[in-house]
Amino acid sequence: MSSSIPASISIPGPWRLPFHHRGILHYARRMGVAMEPFIQVNYNAYVHAPNAYGGKPRRYRQIQADFHGHVAELLAKSTRQNSLDQAVSKQDREILMQALQGWGALDSNYEYKKGIASSMRRGFDVDPGGGIKSVPVPSQPSALSDLLRSGLWSAIGAGHNYELQSTIFQPKGGMGTIGKAMGANLGPLIEYNCKVTDIRQDGEGVTATYVDSRNGGAPRTARAGWCLCTIPTPILAQIPMNVGAPMKAAIDQLPYLAAVKVGLQFKRRFWEEDEQIYGGITYTSLPSTTISYPMWDYYSAGKGVLLGAYTFGRPAYLAASKSPQERIQDALRDGAQIHPQYPAEFENGVAVAWHRVPWAMGCQGAWTDEARDQHYNNLCALDGRILLASEHASRLPGWQEGSVTSALDAITRLHARVVQP
C-alpha cells in the first residue's frame, strides 16, 4: 500500500545506482531497463567557494593533486627525519618513501612543487603538443596554507564514499524508467491516484479507506488479510491507524529530510564546448551546493540541461520558502560565479522541493543515531497484521536499494508469519 503519485506531474527523484545495490539492479535487469555509467568524479569539473582564490573556481584535479602532494611531502619529511621510527621499521620506511613519491607526485627530493611530475596530476598551463611549439608548460601548485584555508579539499572525498565509488549506474532515459517498467509489469495490480485516509486492522484482516485524489467522490475501501505499507512516515503519521504504541511512536518521531532540486535548460552545452566538462559534478559552498552535468549525448548540438542545484537540510528549507521561479534565479546567480555563460545561455528551468510534494513530504527518512537506537526495530516490527517497508525502514535511507531490501525483508517475515502462525 502506498500513497499515489500522479503520473503526469514532474517530481524530483533519485540520482544514481551504486554497483553494490544488487536489489534494485536485479529488478532493473529483470525488467529490461538498460543502464549507462553515472560519473561521480570528473577531474575536470570544478570545486568552488566564494572566499577562496578570489572566488574563481578550481578544477577538481588541481585541488586533489595539491592536497595529496602537500600531505605526501609533509609525511616524507617526517619519515626522512626519523620521526616515525617507533611506528615504521627501516625497511618499511624505504617502501613508504617510494609510495609517497608516487602517490603525491613528489620530485626526486621528495618535494611537491612546480614541474612535470606535479603537472601530470594537476594539469599543465600549456599541454604537451605536436610540432615545433610542443613543449609543455608546468602549472604552479597552490601554497599549502592557501589550500587549507580555501576549504576546497573537503569536496574531493565524496568519490571515496562506499555508496559513491565507481562503478555507478543510471538508467537510460532517466531514473523514472524503472518505475515505469515496474508499473507495466504489475499492470492492474496497481490502483493509481488513491489517497489513503484511514487504515484499520482487526483479528481477520486490514481495511484501508481511500479517495480518488484527482476526481474526489465518495470514500472507497480495500480489504486484505495483511497490509504491507510503504507510505512515507510524515504522511502516515497523519493517517488514523490502529497500531500499538511502539510503532506509532516510531512513525511519529521520524521526519523526512528536506531537499530541493533545480533543473536548468541552456541554449547550448557550453560546459562541454568551452570548458571540456563531460559529465560529473561541480561542488560549491554556495547554497546551490551542486552542479551536475549530463552524462549522455556528449558532443551533441543544441540545447542542454544541467542539474543546477541539489540542496539538503537548512538550505533546502530556505529555498522552499521561495517561489519556484525565485529558486531558479538563485541557482542562476550561484552558478554564474562558476560558469559566467549562465546569463546569456539560460532558457528555462524547473525547481521542486521534495518536502513540499504532498505525497512524499521529503526525500528520505531523517534518522538520528539516538532515534534509530530507540525506534528502528519498532518501526520494522510486525504490528498485528500491519508491516511497514520503504527506505525509511532500512539502513539505506534515501536509496532505492533501501526500499527494495526493506520490502524483501518485510515480505519474507510476513510470509513466515502466515505459514507458521
Side-chain angles (χ1 to χ4, degrees):
M1 181 184 300
S2 175
S3 56
S4 65
I5 298 176
S8 63
I9 298 178
S10 297
I11 60 170
W15 201 8
R16 50 208 159 185
L17 301 172
F19 70 91
H20 50 83
H21 284 193
R22 291 175 287 182
I24 187 66
L25 289 172
H26 160 79
Y27 284 108
R29 184 184 305 111
R30 178 175 171 178
M31 295 180 296
V33 178
M35 292 290 158
E36 60 189 2
F38 179 97
I39 300 173
Q40 176 67 39
V41 176
N42 181 342
Y43 291 91
N44 207 42
Y46 292 116
V47 287
H48 168 263
N51 59 348
Y53 301 108
K56 295 182 179 179
R58 289 289 189 268
R59 300 286 185 174
Y60 182 102
R61 67 170 184 272
Q62 295 173 329
I63 298 302
Q64 177 171 278
D66 291 351
F67 188 79
H68 287 178
H70 285 302
V71 170
E73 180 180 336
L74 290 172
L75 186 52
K77 287 179 179 178
S78 297
T79 304
R80 297 179 78 178
Q81 294 169 2
N82 298 324
S83 300
L84 304 177
D85 281 356
Q86 293 182 353
V88 182
S89 67
K90 180 179 179 180
Q91 181 179 6
D92 287 347
R93 187 165 65 244
E94 294 174 355
I95 299 173
L96 177 59
M97 292 294 289
Q98 295 178 8
L100 290 173
Q101 188 174 40
W103 179 72
L106 306 183
D107 64 13
S108 57
N109 293 320
Y110 298 96
E111 294 179 346
Y112 181 72
K113 62 183 183 180
K114 181 177 181 178
I116 297 298
S118 62
S119 295
M120 287 298 291
R121 299 291 177 84
R122 70 186 319 278
F124 294 83
D125 283 348
V126 177
D127 286 345
I132 295 176
K133 296 182 179 180
S134 60
V135 178
V137 177
S139 59
Q140 179 65 52
S142 297
L144 176 59
S145 179
D146 293 340
L147 177 64
L148 294 176
R149 293 176 183 179
S150 75
L152 298 182
W153 44 267
S154 62
I156 65 175
H160 301 304
N161 186 300
Y162 180 52
E163 297 295 340
L164 304 180
Q165 292 175 6
S166 297
T167 302
I168 311 175
F169 301 101
Q170 59 185 5
K172 288 186 177 180
M175 196 66 77
T177 57
I178 294 180
K180 292 177 181 178
M182 287 184 171
N185 274 264
L186 292 170
L189 292 175
I190 302 176
E191 188 172 351
Y192 294 95
N193 304 308
C194 299
K195 180 181 179 180
V196 178
T197 60
D198 187 83
I199 302 172
R200 292 288 154 184
Q201 62 174 324
D202 54 40
E204 301 299 324
V206 183
T207 300
T209 303
Y210 63 97
V211 295
D212 188 320
S213 62
R214 284 187 170 179
N215 303 314
R220 291 179 282 177
T221 61
R223 176 81 175 173
W226 306 86
C227 172
L228 181 58
C229 179
T230 63
I231 297 175
T233 55
I235 299 171
L236 191 58
Q238 303 176 56
I239 299 175
M241 181 171 64
N242 61 331
V243 294
M247 177 176 282
K248 177 62 175 171
I251 294 170
D252 289 345
Q253 69 79 40
L254 182 58
Y256 263 36
L257 186 67
V260 170
K261 275 187 174 180
V262 178
L264 302 174
Q265 178 177 298
F266 295 93
K267 300 173 186 176
R268 64 185 182 95
R269 297 163 76 107
F270 59 80
W271 51 92
E272 294 182 0
E273 297 175 6
D274 302 347
E275 298 163 289
Q276 295 76 54
I277 298 175
Y278 301 94
I281 302 169
T282 279
Y283 299 95
T284 176
S285 64
L286 294 169
S288 294
T289 304
T290 297
I291 298 173
S292 181
Y293 309 93
M295 304 169 197
W296 57 88
D297 293 339
Y298 299 130
Y299 288 97
S300 60
K303 305 178 191 296
V305 176
L306 297 180
L307 175 60
Y310 191 6
T311 63
F312 295 88
R314 185 174 183 273
Y317 279 116
L318 294 175
S321 69
K322 303 177 181 181
S323 69
Q325 190 58 41
E326 287 174 317
R327 299 173 206 158
I328 293 169
Q329 292 302 316
D330 287 347
L332 289 172
R333 179 201 63 219
D334 289 354
Q337 296 190 43
I338 301 167
H339 295 292
Q341 305 96 321
Y342 263 41
E345 302 293 346
F346 174 70
E347 279 195 336
N348 205 348
V350 61
V352 182
W354 245 299
H355 55 293
R356 298 287 292 275
V357 176
W359 51 84
M361 295 185 68
C363 69
Q364 66 180 66
W367 284 106
T368 64
D369 291 340
E370 181 182 4
R372 190 186 293 277
D373 290 341
Q374 183 177 357
H375 294 289
Y376 181 80
N377 288 344
N378 294 329
L379 188 79
C380 298
L382 178 62
D383 185 299
R385 291 178 171 270
I386 295 175
L387 191 59
L388 307 186
S390 194
E391 55 80 31
H392 54 253
S394 79
R395 304 280 177 171
L396 287 165
W399 292 97
Q400 292 179 88
E401 184 72 3
S403 294
V404 169
T405 54
S406 167
L408 291 172
D409 172 75
I411 203 66
T412 298
R413 288 187 287 121
L414 183 57
H415 179 265
R417 172 66 179 82
V418 171
V419 299
Q420 292 184 343

